[in-house]
Amino acid sequence: MNAARPSSLADRLLCWLLLTAVCCWMVRAHWEEVDLPWKFQKVQLHEQALANEAPDPYQYKLWTISHALEWAHETSGESLPNVLYANTLLSLVLLMLAHHFWLRTWVGTRTALVGGLALGALANVLFLTYAHHPYEFWGVAGFCVLLRGVERGWAWWMLALLCLVTGLVWEKHALVPGLWGLLQLTRGKPFLASLWRGLVMLAAAL
């Protein structure tokens, strides 16, 4: 007798359960390998960014996130290390979600889940050798959202706004306007309209 095929609801629940477990694994690994060993250096860099004394290129990269974290620190009354850890937790959760939904644009839910597992494994390896700064996971998450928007044909002005917001914490998403322009041409869109809109997106990204 053949076993009954799991329902789509069961598949989704299992998917989110596994992604949640992988995300918890990433957060714990980051706490052990980055947050604890680099706690004092991260606090020092935060204070340097607030005083406009952080070494380049971290000064401009850290400006937005440092002031946001300082506001959270003063408003909540939590210690700065705890605020930095909460930032890591939230940004990793958003990264996992954005990465999963981006992959689902191209492949099915189960294959996207494999991508999430691969992301967790890669992150755990990177955490062993690299002290991630508080803006990086927000930036990668924004990059994934942009890639999903490009593939799904979001309005160019929405992508430009998202490029602008992501640019507050990252810079590698500047590749997205070029990708968007190439896709516009392959989809038969007018060249001049695609060109000036792509340039606006690039300006927003920079």
Side-chain angles (χ1 to χ4, degrees):
M1 183 175 181
N2 294 329
R5 184 183 183 280
S7 67
S8 58
L9 177 59
D11 284 350
R12 289 194 293 270
L13 290 175
L14 178 60
C15 173
W16 288 114
L17 178 62
L18 290 173
L19 287 178
T20 300
V22 172
C23 194
C24 292
W25 178 37
M26 292 168 61
V27 170
R28 178 179 176 83
H30 196 278
W31 168 258
E32 294 177 345
E33 304 295 341
V34 179
D35 291 316
L36 284 180
W38 293 83
K39 179 173 67 174
F40 296 109
Q41 292 91 331
K42 292 176 71 173
V43 170
Q44 182 182 34
L45 186 59
H46 173 83
E47 293 173 347
Q48 289 176 332
L50 293 178
N52 293 324
E53 296 175 352
D56 291 331
Y58 300 128
Q59 182 58 48
Y60 84 91
K61 289 183 176 181
L62 281 168
W63 192 92
T64 303
I65 191 67
S66 294
H67 282 78
L69 293 176
E70 184 66 18
W71 176 85
H73 166 54
E74 294 178 352
T75 303
S76 66
E78 283 290 334
S79 66
L80 184 56
N82 284 346
V83 172
L84 291 172
Y85 182 60
N87 173 74
T88 298
L89 172 63
L90 294 174
S91 59
L92 279 174
V93 170
L94 180 62
L95 172 57
M96 179 62 73
L97 290 173
H99 181 263
H100 179 72
F101 283 114
W102 164 53
L103 288 182
R104 280 186 54 187
T105 306
W106 299 86
V107 296
T109 299
R110 293 184 179 183
T111 307
L113 174 60
V114 174
L117 298 176
L119 173 64
L122 176 62
N124 275 266
V125 173
L126 292 176
F127 294 165
L128 296 175
T129 58
Y130 183 53
H132 297 79
H133 297 295
Y135 56 80
E136 292 187 88
F137 300 133
W138 296 110
V140 180
F143 185 60
C144 290
V145 175
L146 278 166
L147 291 176
R148 176 178 171 85
V150 168
E151 176 59 24
R152 294 183 68 94
W154 291 1
W156 71 271
W157 58 268
M158 292 177 60
L159 294 173
L161 287 175
L162 188 53
C163 280
L164 182 64
V165 173
T166 306
L168 296 175
V169 291
W170 221 45
E171 77 287 343
K172 297 178 180 64
H173 68 298
L175 298 171
V176 171
L179 174 63
W180 178 86
L182 290 175
L183 285 178
Q184 291 297 102
L185 294 179
T186 60
R187 292 167 178 172
K189 303 297 183 180
F191 174 76
L192 290 179
S194 299
L195 177 62
W196 75 260
R197 289 170 180 173
L199 290 175
V200 171
M201 290 171 57
L202 179 61
L206 297 176

